[in-house]
Amino acid sequence: MRGTVAGLPSPHPLVELLPALYLEQDFLRRFLSALDDVLAPILLTLDNLPAHLDPRSAPEDLLDWVAQWVAAEPHRDEPVERRRTAVTGAVDRHSRRGTRGGLAEAVRRQTGVEPEIAESGGSGWSATPNTELPGEERPWVTVRLRVAEPEAVDRVGVEELIEGEIPAHIGYELEILPLAAEAPGPAAERPSGEPPSGERPSGEPPSGERP
């Protein structure tokens, strides 16, 4: 505990707990008043414990501690409101982590930009045995951001985010483009089976499935 807080009243003054016989004794009132100054921060914290544990209202020095409970680690240099949002939605995001939608939400939350995501995965069904699997054999994902000032984007921070969101065996590539850049057409898409040239090499997908 940091000690007393000047002017902070106690919600439960000790003098009120005394028998009426002692209420008029000036020494006791002054002595207990000093103890009230010490106990006031503790009592007020306990009275407001739910608010201290809620990421929307927790003091900043407790926010990082609360974040550890839900495996959320927002960067300390991010604005506090963005950090609160990251912790508040962490549990819900964990259920979508590793998916295209989860990656898009994470990038959008950190950058404020809606990303364009292309990836090699696919899904489908067939009543015919040995039907060719959808998607591509080599897993990859490309995250494309279109912003007014590409040089202002923290590329390293976004790459760290992508690496933490996608499965470990997926290769990735981050493209940060100016708003005026045109979206690539079908001919400009990556050839089938060719992974991106990102920092992490692609691994082989598990047998019988593709990401």
Side-chain angles (χ1 to χ4, degrees):
M1 181 56 62
R2 299 176 180 175
T4 62
V5 178
L8 187 67
S10 172
H12 309 289
L14 294 176
V15 70
E16 295 180 358
L17 304 178
L18 291 177
L21 177 65
Y22 299 102
L23 293 180
E24 299 301 325
Q25 295 192 21
D26 183 65
F27 170 75
L28 278 179
R29 297 183 70 88
R30 288 185 287 110
F31 178 75
L32 294 178
S33 176
L35 294 179
D36 284 338
D37 290 342
V38 175
L39 294 176
I42 300 175
L43 296 176
L44 286 170
T45 297
L46 293 176
D47 285 349
N48 295 280
L49 189 58
H52 281 69
L53 301 181
D54 189 327
R56 296 168 297 181
S57 56
E60 289 190 44
D61 55 353
L62 281 180
L63 185 59
D64 292 336
W65 181 53
V66 174
Q68 296 176 7
W69 295 8
V70 292
E73 299 180 1
H75 289 285
R76 289 179 175 270
D77 56 353
E78 289 185 350
V80 65
E81 290 306 318
R82 184 176 294 178
R83 289 161 55 200
R84 293 189 190 279
T85 301
V87 178
T88 301
V91 175
D92 183 54
R93 286 196 307 275
H94 287 326
S95 66
R96 300 191 303 277
R97 192 172 186 182
T99 67
R100 179 172 182 165
L103 175 59
E105 181 180 352
V107 173
R108 180 171 59 250
R109 176 176 52 82
Q110 177 162 321
T111 65
V113 178
E114 185 68 36
E116 300 172 15
I117 297 179
E119 43 92 22
S120 59
S123 62
W125 71 276
S126 174
T128 305
N130 301 319
T131 300
E132 183 178 356
L133 292 173
E136 300 180 13
E137 183 177 358
R138 295 293 301 276
W140 57 265
V141 61
T142 296
V143 177
R144 201 171 286 122
L145 295 177
R146 299 183 185 279
V147 296
E149 299 180 2
E151 64 279 359
V153 176
D154 179 11
R155 172 179 284 273
V156 174
V158 177
E159 289 176 344
E160 290 178 353
L161 173 68
I162 295 173
E163 290 182 1
E165 291 291 328
I166 64 177
H169 65 288
I170 303 293
Y172 76 91
E173 184 174 34
L174 172 63
E175 298 179 0
I176 302 177
L177 306 174
L179 286 174
E182 295 183 358
E189 293 292 341
R190 192 180 311 283
S192 176
E194 180 182 339
S197 56
E199 291 74 2
R200 183 197 296 168
S202 299
E204 293 295 337
S207 176
E209 64 181 60
R210 301 223 178 109

